[in-house]
Amino acid sequence: MEEKYGAHNYHPLPVVLTKGEGVFVWDLDGKRYYDFLSAYSAVNQGHCHPRLIRALTEQAKELTLTSRAFYNDKLGIAEKLVCETFGYDKALFMNSGAEANETAIKLARKWGYTKKGIPANQAVIVAVKQNFHGRTTTIISASTDPSAQSGFGPFMPGFEVVDYDSTSAIEKALANPNVCALWIEPIQGEAGVFVPHDGYLKSAEKICRKHNVLLMMDEIQTGIARTGKMLASEYEDVKPDLLILGKALSGGFLPISLVLANDEVMLVIKPGEHGSTFGGNPLAAAVCVEALQIVKDENLAENAFKLGLVFRERMNALIKKTNLVTLVRGKGLLNAIVINDKHESDAAWNSEAEIAWNLCLKFAENGLLAKPTHGNIIRLAPPLVITEEQIHECCDIIEKVVLSMK
Ligand code: PLP
């Protein structure tokens, strides 16, 4: 039915899911799989967490949506929690990740004009190659992925795109006095889990401070314990001026995203200048509070850190036994394996992307769901509630499948 009646804007693995619990999902035939995508890291707390079911249903019985035309009794509680958790003065709730990035762009530009003194309509935001921040026409204007851009122009001006993981490129771009923000992901998830060199984020922060430029960090995929810390920026003790979060803010129950900033940035936007009918609704606020509390109560950052080490150790051991997988990289439980593009594969498999796709089909047959991202890279990101025993079982599946390939 999806093929016939739905737009063809995705190419799903051929599996139809009907139930989820913790690290597992089940298909219509009752076959159980480990979920190694976690809805692109939205389901860090595991599928259908009982505490989130309770928070959602209890709030749904009371009040779901007021719009921001009135106060509601849940939003303030969620705002206080996120501000205290991440160390900021103010939060601005939206729904999707793309919307949160759009919000950050507007805040950065407005700050550039009203605080930095950039001449009207001249503000520049510096992005990096291979970024992924969402799908709106403004966001794709800064994309370097042809499939994101092709056929969707004209594009929004005001972006300069520089090399990722290059401090000299940042230094050069930020010398332009019209730059209001540097926009980066601490690890590029969609691009294929690219981890920059140690010190890159700290240098980026320092260069931003030197040039009076806002550091705008998209932690939608890396945040909320995924990489083994509450935020990936914490690895380098970096404090972005604009912190962008989404996905696991709801544990997969609702689209919830937000931007965090201190007053001198957040208060540049005045009533009526930005908003969303659903952003900050009481249902989302109640779910968000519970979702963050679960991450803390269940020590998910610590678990991700510890099991990430186990996972990469197992994958590195596997790499020694095969020439099909050449590399594992990542932090915490955001990892990817890279498929050898020079592998002499079956004749039917004519490209490394096809090998990655076929490997994922074999993983699925063996009870593990993952999907290639960008050709020959397979992202492996289970829910953070996974146990050490389960991680080993999953590594056994991956190893068995990889070693069974010629
Ligand atoms: N930013 C990053 C880093 C992401 O990984 C994603 C989604 O994968 C987005 C933004 C877009 O989020 P959404 O799909 O909720 O709009």
Side-chain angles (χ1 to χ4, degrees), residues 40 96-99 101 132-134 185 190 218 220-221 247:
Y40 302 104
S96 69
E99 279 177 304
N101 273 290
F132 186 84
H133 301 292
E185 299 154 82
E190 286 308 294
D218 181 348
I220 284 173
Q221 191 160 149
K247 296 195 192 281

